[in-house]
C-alpha cells in the first residue's frame, strides 16, 4: 500500500482515543496483586498464628524488602510501557535497593558453622516447594503486567520484561511470606532467591516477543 | 547563542507546538488534523530514516512508523511535547528493523548522523561533522570512526587500533568530550 493511501485510510478510520493513564494501569495491577492475599487466606494456605509470626525478626525484613521491591519495580515497569520513558537509570537504583535488602538478610543469616549446618538449615525438600509456590504466586501479576505491556508501547525490550519479572517475582514472594513456615534468613535468601530468579529469567526470555509491537 | 542558532531553535519550537496541537486534535477525532499530522510527520520520518538505513527500506519503515503512531497514539501524553514521543516510536521501529536483520549494515555514508540533523533544513550543517572530526588527533578520530560510524564494538575497535579496551574507552570518552566542547565554542 502506498503511504498516501495508508494515511488516507488511517485518517478516515480515526476515532477519538482516550489517553492511557498511568494510575489506571497501576490500579489494575494493584487490584490483581491485592486479590492474591485474601485468596491465599480463603484457601486456608496462610500460616496459623499469624499475629505471633508478625513479631518475628525476619518478618519485617521479608515483608519490607519484598514489598518495596515489588512497589518500585511495578512502578518502573508500568512507566516503561510509555515510549519516551527510559528505565536505564532507575533500574540501577532498583538494583541497589535489591542489593541492600539481600545484604541485610545476609547479615541476619550470619556465617554458618559448617557445611552440615548449611544443609540442615536449607532443608531443600521444603525449599524447592517454597520456590515452586513463589513461581505460582507470581503468575497473576506477571500476566497482568505483560498484557498491559503489550497494549502499551515499551521501547526497551530488554529492561521492560526484566522489570515485569522483578515486580511479579517480588509480589509472588511477598504473598508467599504468609504461607511460609520458615524464618531462617539463609533459607529465605536461597529459596526465595531461586523462586524469584526463575520468574525473572522466564520473564526476560519469554516476554520480549510478547510485548513487541 | 548566535542569531541563526536562535532562529533555528524558535522554528523548531513553532514546529513542535504545531505538531502537538495537531496531535491533540487528532486524539479528539479530528481526521483533517490527523491527515495533516501524518503527512507532515512522514516527511520528517523519511529524512530521519534516509540518513540511517538503505534507501530501499525507507518507505517501508515510514509506513511501519505511521501505523505504529496510529496504533499507539493512546500512549501520547497531551501535556508533553509531541516530537520526543514521535521520535521514540520512530527510533524503536528503526532498531526493530535493524535487529530483525533486514538491514544489518548501516551505510557508512550516513556518518553525519553522529550529530544527526533532524530536519531537511538542518542537514546543511551535517558537513560540519567531518570538519569537527578533523580537529581530533588521528588516533582518536579513527577510533570514533570505528565505533560511532562503522558500528564496531569498543573491543573490536581497540583490537584494530592495537590498544586495550580500557584505553579505547577512555580515548573515546575524551574525544567525545572534546567534540562537545568544540561544538560549544562554535555555538557561542
Amino acid at each position: 500500500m502506498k503511504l498516501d493511501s495508508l494515511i488516507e485510510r488511517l485518517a478516515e478510520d480515526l476515532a477519538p482515543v482516550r489517553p492511557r493513564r498511568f494510575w489506571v494501569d497501576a490500579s489494575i495491577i494493584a487490584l490483581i496483586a491485592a486479590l492474591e492475599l485474601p485468596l491465599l487466606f480463603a484457601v486456608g494456605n496462610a500460616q496459623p498464628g499469624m499475629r505471633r509470626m508478625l513479631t518475628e525478626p525476619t518478618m519485617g525484613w521479608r515483608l519490607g524488602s519484598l514489598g518495596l521491591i515489588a512497589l518500585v519495580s511495578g512502578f518502573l515497569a508500568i512507566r516503561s510501557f510509555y515510549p519516551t520513558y527510559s528505565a536505564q537509570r532507575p533500574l540501577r537504583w532498583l538494583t541497589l535497593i535489591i542489593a541492600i535488602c539481600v545484604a541485610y538478610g545476609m547479615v541476619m543469616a550470619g556465617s554458618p558453622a559448617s557445611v552440615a549446618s548449611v544443609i540442615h538449615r536449607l532443608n531443600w525438600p521444603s525449599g524447592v516447594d517454597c520456590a515452586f509456590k513463589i513461581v505460582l504466586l507470581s503468575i497473576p501479576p506477571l500476566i497482568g503486567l505483560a498484557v498491559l505491556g503489550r497494549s502499551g508501547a515499551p521501547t526497551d525490550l530488554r529492561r521492560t520484561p526484566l522489570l515485569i519479572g522483578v515486580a511479579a517475582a517480588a509480589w509472588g514472594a511477598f504473598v508467599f511470606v504468609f504461607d511460609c513456615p520458615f524464618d531462617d534468613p539463609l533459607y529465605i535468601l536461597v529459596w526465595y532467591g531461586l523462586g524469584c530468579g526463575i520468574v525473572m529469567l522466564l520473564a526476560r526470555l519469554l516476554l520480549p516477543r510478547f510485548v513487541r509491537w | 547563542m548566535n542569531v541563526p542558532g536562535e532562529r533555528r531553535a524558535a522554528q523548531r519550537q513553532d514546529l513542535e507546538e504545531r505538531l502537538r496541537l495537531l496531535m491533540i486534535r487528532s486524539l479528539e477525532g479530528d481526521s483533517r488534523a490527523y491527515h495533516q499530522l501524518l503527512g507532515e510527520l512522514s516527511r520528517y520520518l523519511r529524512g530521519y530514516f534516509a540518513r540511517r538505513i538503505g534507501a530501499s527500506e525507507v518507505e517501508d519503515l515510514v509506513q511501519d512508523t505511521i501505523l505504529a503512531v496510529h496504533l499507539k497514539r493512546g500512549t501520547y501524553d497531551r501535556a508533553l511535547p509531541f516530537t520526543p514521543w514521535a521520535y521514540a516510536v520512530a527510533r524503536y521501529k528503526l532498531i526493530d528493523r535493524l535487529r530483525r536483520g533486514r538491514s544489518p549494515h548501516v551505510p557508512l555514508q550516513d556518518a553525519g548522523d553522529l550529530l544527526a540533523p533532524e530536519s531537511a533544513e538542518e542537514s546543511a550543517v551535517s558537513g560540519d561533522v567531518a570538519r569537527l572530526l578533523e580537529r581530533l588527533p588521528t588516533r582518536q578520530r579513527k577510533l570514533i570512526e570505528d565505533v560511532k560510524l562503522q558500528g564496531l564494538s569498543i573491543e573490536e575497535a581497540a583490537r584494530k587500533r592495537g590498544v586495550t579496551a580500557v584505553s579505547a574507552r577512555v580515548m573515546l570518552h575524551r574525544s567525545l568530550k572534546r567534540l562537545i566542547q568544540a561544538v560549544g565554542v562554535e555555538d557561542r
Side-chain angles (χ1 to χ4, degrees), chain A residues 1-3 8 10-11 14-17 19-20 82-84 150-152 155 157 212-213, chain B residues 26-27 31 34-35 42 46 63 70 72-75 78 84-85 88 92-93 96 100:
Chain A
M1 188 190 284
K2 285 223 167 200
L3 181 64
E8 204 78 47
L10 294 178
L14 184 72
V17 71
R20 198 183 167 99
Y82 294 80
T84 45
R150 191 177 167 83
S151 68
T155 49
L157 297 187
R212 188 167 159 255
W213 48 283
Chain B
S26 305
L27 290 175
S31 52
Y34 195 47
H35 193 282
S42 59
R46 203 171 281 127
Q63 288 198 17
H70 179 73
K72 300 294 179 182
R73 64 193 191 280
T75 62
R78 296 160 196 238
W85 180 84
Y92 170 76
K93 282 290 162 189
D96 191 50
R100 273 186 290 164

mmCIF file of all heavy atoms in Angstrom, chain A residues 1-3 8 10-11 14-17 19-20 82-84 150-152 155 157 212-213, chain B residues 26-27 31 34-35 42 46 63 70 72-75 78 84-85 88 92-93 96 100:
data_model
loop_
_atom_site.group_PDB
_atom_site.id
_atom_site.type_symbol
_atom_site.label_atom_id
_atom_site.label_comp_id
_atom_site.label_asym_id
_atom_site.label_seq_id
_atom_site.Cartn_x
_atom_site.Cartn_y
_atom_site.Cartn_z
ATOM 1 N N MET A 1 0.843 -1.190 0.000
ATOM 2 C CA MET A 1 0.000 0.000 0.000
ATOM 3 C C MET A 1 0.885 1.249 0.000
ATOM 4 O O MET A 1 1.907 1.302 0.669
ATOM 5 C CB MET A 1 -0.890 -0.008 1.252
ATOM 6 C CG MET A 1 -1.927 1.085 1.235
ATOM 7 S SD MET A 1 -2.764 1.252 2.830
ATOM 8 C CE MET A 1 -3.861 -0.151 2.763
ATOM 9 N N LYS A 2 0.476 2.229 -0.771
ATOM 10 C CA LYS A 2 1.252 3.478 -0.829
ATOM 11 C C LYS A 2 1.018 4.284 0.446
ATOM 12 O O LYS A 2 -0.046 4.186 1.063
ATOM 13 C CB LYS A 2 0.813 4.286 -2.034
ATOM 14 C CG LYS A 2 1.321 3.728 -3.333
ATOM 15 C CD LYS A 2 1.817 4.856 -4.193
ATOM 16 C CE LYS A 2 2.600 4.275 -5.342
ATOM 17 N NZ LYS A 2 3.468 5.198 -5.944
ATOM 18 N N LEU A 3 2.012 5.085 0.776
ATOM 19 C CA LEU A 3 1.928 5.847 2.018
ATOM 20 C C LEU A 3 0.721 6.791 2.025
ATOM 21 O O LEU A 3 0.003 6.884 3.031
ATOM 22 C CB LEU A 3 3.227 6.626 2.227
ATOM 23 C CG LEU A 3 3.295 7.449 3.499
ATOM 24 C CD1 LEU A 3 3.251 6.556 4.724
ATOM 25 C CD2 LEU A 3 4.544 8.309 3.519
ATOM 26 N N GLU A 8 -4.495 8.230 4.182
ATOM 27 C CA GLU A 8 -5.910 8.495 3.866
ATOM 28 C C GLU A 8 -6.813 7.556 4.676
ATOM 29 O O GLU A 8 -7.772 7.989 5.325
ATOM 30 C CB GLU A 8 -6.108 8.246 2.369
ATOM 31 C CG GLU A 8 -7.282 8.966 1.738
ATOM 32 C CD GLU A 8 -6.953 10.429 1.474
ATOM 33 O OE1 GLU A 8 -5.871 10.718 0.930
ATOM 34 O OE2 GLU A 8 -7.786 11.255 1.857
ATOM 35 N N LEU A 10 -6.087 5.733 7.384
ATOM 36 C CA LEU A 10 -5.978 5.914 8.843
ATOM 37 C C LEU A 10 -6.788 7.126 9.289
ATOM 38 O O LEU A 10 -7.450 7.099 10.328
ATOM 39 C CB LEU A 10 -4.514 6.075 9.263
ATOM 40 C CG LEU A 10 -3.612 4.850 9.066
ATOM 41 C CD1 LEU A 10 -2.185 5.161 9.482
ATOM 42 C CD2 LEU A 10 -4.132 3.650 9.854
ATOM 43 N N ALA A 11 -6.726 8.192 8.474
ATOM 44 C CA ALA A 11 -7.466 9.418 8.835
ATOM 45 C C ALA A 11 -8.977 9.171 8.743
ATOM 46 O O ALA A 11 -9.739 9.656 9.578
ATOM 47 C CB ALA A 11 -7.043 10.563 7.930
ATOM 48 N N LEU A 14 -10.261 7.211 11.712
ATOM 49 C CA LEU A 14 -9.885 7.776 13.014
ATOM 50 C C LEU A 14 -11.080 7.879 13.970
ATOM 51 O O LEU A 14 -12.160 8.324 13.581
ATOM 52 C CB LEU A 14 -9.279 9.170 12.816
ATOM 53 C CG LEU A 14 -8.766 9.827 14.091
ATOM 54 C CD1 LEU A 14 -7.497 9.150 14.569
ATOM 55 C CD2 LEU A 14 -8.499 11.314 13.861
ATOM 56 N N ALA A 15 -10.837 7.426 15.180
ATOM 57 C CA ALA A 15 -11.857 7.584 16.225
ATOM 58 C C ALA A 15 -11.184 8.261 17.411
ATOM 59 O O ALA A 15 -9.963 8.111 17.599
ATOM 60 C CB ALA A 15 -12.372 6.219 16.623
ATOM 61 N N PRO A 16 -11.956 9.009 18.203
ATOM 62 C CA PRO A 16 -11.328 9.628 19.385
ATOM 63 C C PRO A 16 -10.724 8.548 20.283
ATOM 64 O O PRO A 16 -11.272 7.443 20.381
ATOM 65 C CB PRO A 16 -12.494 10.319 20.090
ATOM 66 C CG PRO A 16 -13.568 10.410 19.089
ATOM 67 C CD PRO A 16 -13.385 9.291 18.124
ATOM 68 N N VAL A 17 -9.613 8.875 20.862
ATOM 69 C CA VAL A 17 -8.972 7.871 21.728
ATOM 70 C C VAL A 17 -8.714 8.481 23.106
ATOM 71 O O VAL A 17 -8.346 9.656 23.215
ATOM 72 C CB VAL A 17 -7.677 7.334 21.064
ATOM 73 C CG1 VAL A 17 -6.578 8.355 21.053
ATOM 74 C CG2 VAL A 17 -7.209 6.072 21.719
ATOM 75 N N PRO A 19 -6.572 8.937 26.274
ATOM 76 C CA PRO A 19 -5.151 8.737 26.584
ATOM 77 C C PRO A 19 -4.967 7.693 27.689
ATOM 78 O O PRO A 19 -5.779 7.604 28.607
ATOM 79 C CB PRO A 19 -4.680 10.107 27.053
ATOM 80 C CG PRO A 19 -5.738 11.056 26.699
ATOM 81 C CD PRO A 19 -7.004 10.302 26.567
ATOM 82 N N ARG A 20 -3.934 6.939 27.529
ATOM 83 C CA ARG A 20 -3.616 5.927 28.526
ATOM 84 C C ARG A 20 -3.160 6.641 29.803
ATOM 85 O O ARG A 20 -2.386 7.586 29.741
ATOM 86 C CB ARG A 20 -2.475 5.088 27.962
ATOM 87 C CG ARG A 20 -2.278 3.770 28.607
ATOM 88 C CD ARG A 20 -1.054 3.124 27.966
ATOM 89 N NE ARG A 20 -0.637 1.999 28.758
ATOM 90 C CZ ARG A 20 -0.950 0.757 28.471
ATOM 91 N NH1 ARG A 20 -1.664 0.483 27.404
ATOM 92 N NH2 ARG A 20 -0.537 -0.230 29.240
ATOM 93 N N TYR A 82 5.474 3.342 28.348
ATOM 94 C CA TYR A 82 5.351 4.569 27.547
ATOM 95 C C TYR A 82 6.643 4.758 26.752
ATOM 96 O O TYR A 82 7.728 4.613 27.321
ATOM 97 C CB TYR A 82 5.097 5.777 28.461
ATOM 98 C CG TYR A 82 3.756 5.693 29.156
ATOM 99 C CD1 TYR A 82 3.583 4.902 30.276
ATOM 100 C CD2 TYR A 82 2.661 6.371 28.642
ATOM 101 C CE1 TYR A 82 2.344 4.783 30.892
ATOM 102 C CE2 TYR A 82 1.421 6.269 29.256
ATOM 103 C CZ TYR A 82 1.271 5.471 30.383
ATOM 104 O OH TYR A 82 0.052 5.363 30.972
ATOM 105 N N PRO A 83 6.524 5.081 25.460
ATOM 106 C CA PRO A 83 7.723 5.055 24.604
ATOM 107 C C PRO A 83 8.839 6.005 25.002
ATOM 108 O O PRO A 83 9.998 5.720 24.761
ATOM 109 C CB PRO A 83 7.183 5.399 23.209
ATOM 110 C CG PRO A 83 5.798 5.855 23.375
ATOM 111 C CD PRO A 83 5.312 5.390 24.697
ATOM 112 N N THR A 84 8.512 7.128 25.622
ATOM 113 C CA THR A 84 9.582 8.098 25.913
ATOM 114 C C THR A 84 10.313 7.797 27.229
ATOM 115 O O THR A 84 11.284 8.466 27.546
ATOM 116 C CB THR A 84 9.013 9.527 26.002
ATOM 117 O OG1 THR A 84 7.832 9.496 26.776
ATOM 118 C CG2 THR A 84 8.705 10.088 24.637
ATOM 119 N N ARG A 150 1.836 -5.197 26.586
ATOM 120 C CA ARG A 150 1.503 -5.447 25.175
ATOM 121 C C ARG A 150 0.590 -4.349 24.621
ATOM 122 O O ARG A 150 0.706 -3.956 23.464
ATOM 123 C CB ARG A 150 0.832 -6.811 25.053
ATOM 124 C CG ARG A 150 0.678 -7.288 23.633
ATOM 125 C CD ARG A 150 0.070 -8.676 23.637
ATOM 126 N NE ARG A 150 -0.393 -9.073 22.326
ATOM 127 C CZ ARG A 150 0.366 -9.591 21.388
ATOM 128 N NH1 ARG A 150 1.645 -9.779 21.624
ATOM 129 N NH2 ARG A 150 -0.117 -9.935 20.225
ATOM 130 N N SER A 151 -0.302 -3.870 25.476
ATOM 131 C CA SER A 151 -1.208 -2.824 24.985
ATOM 132 C C SER A 151 -0.533 -1.442 25.014
ATOM 133 O O SER A 151 -1.040 -0.494 24.434
ATOM 134 C CB SER A 151 -2.486 -2.794 25.818
ATOM 135 O OG SER A 151 -2.179 -2.361 27.119
ATOM 136 N N GLY A 152 0.597 -1.345 25.701
ATOM 137 C CA GLY A 152 1.334 -0.084 25.719
ATOM 138 C C GLY A 152 2.338 -0.037 24.580
ATOM 139 O O GLY A 152 2.171 -0.736 23.575
ATOM 140 N N THR A 155 9.586 0.573 24.594
ATOM 141 C CA THR A 155 10.608 0.635 23.544
ATOM 142 C C THR A 155 11.905 -0.054 23.964
ATOM 143 O O THR A 155 12.821 -0.158 23.168
ATOM 144 C CB THR A 155 10.926 2.103 23.185
ATOM 145 O OG1 THR A 155 11.166 2.825 24.385
ATOM 146 C CG2 THR A 155 9.793 2.738 22.430
ATOM 147 N N LEU A 157 13.040 -3.497 24.959
ATOM 148 C CA LEU A 157 12.572 -4.885 25.074
ATOM 149 C C LEU A 157 13.500 -5.767 25.922
ATOM 150 O O LEU A 157 13.282 -6.975 26.022
ATOM 151 C CB LEU A 157 12.390 -5.504 23.685
ATOM 152 C CG LEU A 157 11.327 -4.821 22.817
ATOM 153 C CD1 LEU A 157 11.098 -5.585 21.532
ATOM 154 C CD2 LEU A 157 10.013 -4.659 23.570
ATOM 155 N N ARG A 212 6.506 -7.010 22.173
ATOM 156 C CA ARG A 212 6.999 -6.319 20.976
ATOM 157 C C ARG A 212 5.818 -5.788 20.153
ATOM 158 O O ARG A 212 4.782 -6.426 20.078
ATOM 159 C CB ARG A 212 7.812 -7.309 20.154
ATOM 160 C CG ARG A 212 8.522 -6.729 19.008
ATOM 161 C CD ARG A 212 9.533 -7.716 18.475
ATOM 162 N NE ARG A 212 9.835 -7.351 17.102
ATOM 163 C CZ ARG A 212 9.370 -8.020 16.059
ATOM 164 N NH1 ARG A 212 8.619 -9.083 16.224
ATOM 165 N NH2 ARG A 212 9.665 -7.621 14.852
ATOM 166 N N TRP A 213 5.978 -4.661 19.537
ATOM 167 C CA TRP A 213 4.884 -4.088 18.747
ATOM 168 C C TRP A 213 5.377 -3.501 17.434
ATOM 169 O O TRP A 213 6.560 -3.401 17.247
ATOM 170 C CB TRP A 213 4.159 -2.985 19.521
ATOM 171 C CG TRP A 213 5.033 -1.977 20.172
ATOM 172 C CD1 TRP A 213 5.750 -2.142 21.334
ATOM 173 C CD2 TRP A 213 5.352 -0.647 19.713
ATOM 174 N NE1 TRP A 213 6.463 -1.025 21.624
ATOM 175 C CE2 TRP A 213 6.237 -0.077 20.654
ATOM 176 C CE3 TRP A 213 4.967 0.125 18.613
ATOM 177 C CZ2 TRP A 213 6.754 1.193 20.534
ATOM 178 C CZ3 TRP A 213 5.468 1.407 18.495
ATOM 179 C CH2 TRP A 213 6.349 1.928 19.441
ATOM 180 N N SER B 26 -6.158 15.394 16.813
ATOM 181 C CA SER B 26 -6.313 14.032 16.267
ATOM 182 C C SER B 26 -6.845 13.076 17.328
ATOM 183 O O SER B 26 -7.705 12.245 17.060
ATOM 184 C CB SER B 26 -4.981 13.509 15.760
ATOM 185 O OG SER B 26 -4.427 14.398 14.842
ATOM 186 N N LEU B 27 -6.323 13.209 18.534
ATOM 187 C CA LEU B 27 -6.775 12.315 19.614
ATOM 188 C C LEU B 27 -8.258 12.534 19.925
ATOM 189 O O LEU B 27 -8.937 11.633 20.405
ATOM 190 C CB LEU B 27 -5.950 12.555 20.884
ATOM 191 C CG LEU B 27 -4.489 12.103 20.835
ATOM 192 C CD1 LEU B 27 -3.754 12.508 22.097
ATOM 193 C CD2 LEU B 27 -4.392 10.591 20.652
ATOM 194 N N SER B 31 -10.209 14.184 11.911
ATOM 195 C CA SER B 31 -9.470 13.434 10.898
ATOM 196 C C SER B 31 -8.674 14.346 9.961
ATOM 197 O O SER B 31 -7.647 13.928 9.419
ATOM 198 C CB SER B 31 -10.400 12.514 10.103
ATOM 199 O OG SER B 31 -11.477 13.240 9.615
ATOM 200 N N TYR B 34 -5.518 15.025 11.671
ATOM 201 C CA TYR B 34 -4.742 13.782 11.693
ATOM 202 C C TYR B 34 -4.057 13.565 10.341
ATOM 203 O O TYR B 34 -2.886 13.182 10.285
ATOM 204 C CB TYR B 34 -5.681 12.626 12.017
ATOM 205 C CG TYR B 34 -4.980 11.359 12.431
ATOM 206 C CD1 TYR B 34 -3.948 11.380 13.368
ATOM 207 C CD2 TYR B 34 -5.350 10.124 11.904
ATOM 208 C CE1 TYR B 34 -3.315 10.225 13.758
ATOM 209 C CE2 TYR B 34 -4.737 8.960 12.292
ATOM 210 C CZ TYR B 34 -3.706 9.017 13.213
ATOM 211 O OH TYR B 34 -3.087 7.861 13.603
ATOM 212 N N HIS B 35 -4.816 13.807 9.290
ATOM 213 C CA HIS B 35 -4.269 13.664 7.933
ATOM 214 C C HIS B 35 -3.070 14.587 7.760
ATOM 215 O O HIS B 35 -2.012 14.177 7.263
ATOM 216 C CB HIS B 35 -5.370 13.991 6.920
ATOM 217 C CG HIS B 35 -5.020 13.588 5.527
ATOM 218 N ND1 HIS B 35 -4.165 14.320 4.734
ATOM 219 C CD2 HIS B 35 -5.385 12.510 4.783
ATOM 220 C CE1 HIS B 35 -4.024 13.720 3.568
ATOM 221 N NE2 HIS B 35 -4.766 12.610 3.567
ATOM 222 N N SER B 42 5.375 12.124 8.119
ATOM 223 C CA SER B 42 6.016 11.186 7.191
ATOM 224 C C SER B 42 7.190 11.858 6.461
ATOM 225 O O SER B 42 8.181 11.200 6.164
ATOM 226 C CB SER B 42 5.005 10.609 6.202
ATOM 227 O OG SER B 42 4.416 11.647 5.477
ATOM 228 N N ARG B 46 10.870 10.346 6.764
ATOM 229 C CA ARG B 46 11.624 9.931 5.569
ATOM 230 C C ARG B 46 13.059 10.457 5.664
ATOM 231 O O ARG B 46 14.010 9.712 5.419
ATOM 232 C CB ARG B 46 10.920 10.464 4.328
ATOM 233 C CG ARG B 46 11.253 9.672 3.085
ATOM 234 C CD ARG B 46 10.383 10.069 1.921
ATOM 235 N NE ARG B 46 9.065 9.482 1.987
ATOM 236 C CZ ARG B 46 7.918 10.176 1.910
ATOM 237 N NH1 ARG B 46 7.946 11.472 1.775
ATOM 238 N NH2 ARG B 46 6.753 9.561 1.949
ATOM 239 N N GLN B 63 6.130 3.721 6.623
ATOM 240 C CA GLN B 63 4.770 3.174 6.749
ATOM 241 C C GLN B 63 4.593 2.452 8.086
ATOM 242 O O GLN B 63 3.582 2.619 8.768
ATOM 243 C CB GLN B 63 4.489 2.199 5.603
ATOM 244 C CG GLN B 63 4.303 2.904 4.278
ATOM 245 C CD GLN B 63 3.607 2.031 3.242
ATOM 246 O OE1 GLN B 63 2.998 1.027 3.571
ATOM 247 N NE2 GLN B 63 3.694 2.422 1.990
ATOM 248 N N HIS B 70 -0.270 5.442 14.762
ATOM 249 C CA HIS B 70 -1.731 5.312 14.792
ATOM 250 C C HIS B 70 -2.179 4.347 15.911
ATOM 251 O O HIS B 70 -3.062 4.678 16.708
ATOM 252 C CB HIS B 70 -2.219 4.809 13.436
ATOM 253 C CG HIS B 70 -3.695 4.611 13.371
ATOM 254 N ND1 HIS B 70 -4.573 5.670 13.326
ATOM 255 C CD2 HIS B 70 -4.463 3.489 13.375
ATOM 256 C CE1 HIS B 70 -5.808 5.206 13.291
ATOM 257 N NE2 HIS B 70 -5.772 3.886 13.331
ATOM 258 N N LYS B 72 -0.565 3.244 18.548
ATOM 259 C CA LYS B 72 -0.123 3.529 19.920
ATOM 260 C C LYS B 72 -0.383 4.981 20.322
ATOM 261 O O LYS B 72 0.214 5.467 21.270
ATOM 262 C CB LYS B 72 1.379 3.210 20.050
ATOM 263 C CG LYS B 72 1.728 1.768 19.752
ATOM 264 C CD LYS B 72 1.129 0.825 20.777
ATOM 265 C CE LYS B 72 1.451 -0.619 20.483
ATOM 266 N NZ LYS B 72 0.842 -1.552 21.426
ATOM 267 N N ARG B 73 -1.236 5.673 19.591
ATOM 268 C CA ARG B 73 -1.420 7.097 19.881
ATOM 269 C C ARG B 73 -1.996 7.335 21.271
ATOM 270 O O ARG B 73 -1.849 8.415 21.828
ATOM 271 C CB ARG B 73 -2.281 7.763 18.811
ATOM 272 C CG ARG B 73 -3.703 7.272 18.697
ATOM 273 C CD ARG B 73 -4.310 7.795 17.393
ATOM 274 N NE ARG B 73 -5.751 7.578 17.322
ATOM 275 C CZ ARG B 73 -6.328 6.432 16.987
ATOM 276 N NH1 ARG B 73 -5.572 5.368 16.710
ATOM 277 N NH2 ARG B 73 -7.636 6.312 16.940
ATOM 278 N N GLY B 74 -2.622 6.329 21.839
ATOM 279 C CA GLY B 74 -3.148 6.463 23.198
ATOM 280 C C GLY B 74 -2.064 6.639 24.248
ATOM 281 O O GLY B 74 -2.327 7.106 25.357
ATOM 282 N N THR B 75 -0.817 6.268 23.910
ATOM 283 C CA THR B 75 0.260 6.394 24.905
ATOM 284 C C THR B 75 0.879 7.798 24.903
ATOM 285 O O THR B 75 1.781 8.066 25.687
ATOM 286 C CB THR B 75 1.395 5.372 24.653
ATOM 287 O OG1 THR B 75 1.973 5.645 23.379
ATOM 288 C CG2 THR B 75 0.894 3.949 24.695
ATOM 289 N N ARG B 78 -0.858 14.284 26.410
ATOM 290 C CA ARG B 78 -1.131 15.615 25.821
ATOM 291 C C ARG B 78 -0.354 16.735 26.500
ATOM 292 O O ARG B 78 -0.147 17.789 25.905
ATOM 293 C CB ARG B 78 -2.615 15.950 25.958
ATOM 294 C CG ARG B 78 -3.506 15.037 25.192
ATOM 295 C CD ARG B 78 -4.914 15.104 25.728
ATOM 296 N NE ARG B 78 -5.696 13.965 25.240
ATOM 297 C CZ ARG B 78 -6.803 14.076 24.555
ATOM 298 N NH1 ARG B 78 -7.299 15.247 24.297
ATOM 299 N NH2 ARG B 78 -7.453 13.003 24.142
ATOM 300 N N PRO B 84 9.403 14.329 20.978
ATOM 301 C CA PRO B 84 10.123 13.212 21.613
ATOM 302 C C PRO B 84 9.344 11.907 21.555
ATOM 303 O O PRO B 84 9.923 10.835 21.405
ATOM 304 C CB PRO B 84 10.293 13.676 23.076
ATOM 305 C CG PRO B 84 10.165 15.138 23.028
ATOM 306 C CD PRO B 84 9.221 15.448 21.907
ATOM 307 N N TRP B 85 8.022 12.007 21.654
ATOM 308 C CA TRP B 85 7.188 10.804 21.586
ATOM 309 C C TRP B 85 7.288 10.173 20.193
ATOM 310 O O TRP B 85 7.528 8.970 20.054
ATOM 311 C CB TRP B 85 5.735 11.159 21.928
ATOM 312 C CG TRP B 85 4.805 9.984 21.881
ATOM 313 C CD1 TRP B 85 4.578 9.081 22.881
ATOM 314 C CD2 TRP B 85 3.990 9.570 20.781
ATOM 315 N NE1 TRP B 85 3.673 8.137 22.474
ATOM 316 C CE2 TRP B 85 3.301 8.413 21.186
ATOM 317 C CE3 TRP B 85 3.785 10.058 19.489
ATOM 318 C CZ2 TRP B 85 2.408 7.745 20.351
ATOM 319 C CZ3 TRP B 85 2.902 9.391 18.656
ATOM 320 C CH2 TRP B 85 2.229 8.250 19.089
ATOM 321 N N ALA B 88 10.651 8.672 19.688
ATOM 322 C CA ALA B 88 10.823 7.393 20.393
ATOM 323 C C ALA B 88 10.190 6.255 19.594
ATOM 324 O O ALA B 88 10.758 5.162 19.498
ATOM 325 C CB ALA B 88 10.207 7.473 21.789
ATOM 326 N N TYR B 92 12.374 3.284 17.854
ATOM 327 C CA TYR B 92 12.065 1.898 18.186
ATOM 328 C C TYR B 92 11.872 1.079 16.908
ATOM 329 O O TYR B 92 12.372 -0.037 16.778
ATOM 330 C CB TYR B 92 10.804 1.852 19.050
ATOM 331 C CG TYR B 92 10.277 0.454 19.249
ATOM 332 C CD1 TYR B 92 10.894 -0.421 20.138
ATOM 333 C CD2 TYR B 92 9.182 -0.008 18.530
ATOM 334 C CE1 TYR B 92 10.425 -1.706 20.310
ATOM 335 C CE2 TYR B 92 8.707 -1.289 18.693
ATOM 336 C CZ TYR B 92 9.329 -2.132 19.582
ATOM 337 O OH TYR B 92 8.865 -3.418 19.726
ATOM 338 N N LYS B 93 11.134 1.645 15.951
ATOM 339 C CA LYS B 93 10.874 0.933 14.701
ATOM 340 C C LYS B 93 12.172 0.710 13.918
ATOM 341 O O LYS B 93 12.361 -0.329 13.310
ATOM 342 C CB LYS B 93 9.865 1.719 13.854
ATOM 343 C CG LYS B 93 8.443 1.541 14.329
ATOM 344 C CD LYS B 93 7.986 0.129 14.030
ATOM 345 C CE LYS B 93 6.791 -0.282 14.831
ATOM 346 N NZ LYS B 93 6.484 -1.713 14.707
ATOM 347 N N ASP B 96 14.141 -1.992 15.723
ATOM 348 C CA ASP B 96 13.466 -3.268 15.498
ATOM 349 C C ASP B 96 13.810 -3.794 14.108
ATOM 350 O O ASP B 96 14.099 -4.983 13.940
ATOM 351 C CB ASP B 96 11.953 -3.042 15.642
ATOM 352 C CG ASP B 96 11.199 -4.350 15.680
ATOM 353 O OD1 ASP B 96 11.605 -5.223 16.474
ATOM 354 O OD2 ASP B 96 10.223 -4.509 14.922
ATOM 355 N N ARG B 100 16.019 -7.194 13.327
ATOM 356 C CA ARG B 100 15.486 -8.318 12.556
ATOM 357 C C ARG B 100 16.401 -8.690 11.398
ATOM 358 O O ARG B 100 16.175 -9.683 10.734
ATOM 359 C CB ARG B 100 14.090 -7.982 12.042
ATOM 360 C CG ARG B 100 13.023 -8.340 13.074
ATOM 361 C CD ARG B 100 11.658 -8.148 12.499
ATOM 362 N NE ARG B 100 11.365 -6.727 12.309
ATOM 363 C CZ ARG B 100 10.381 -6.262 11.540
ATOM 364 N NH1 ARG B 100 9.638 -7.095 10.866
ATOM 365 N NH2 ARG B 100 10.152 -4.979 11.449
#
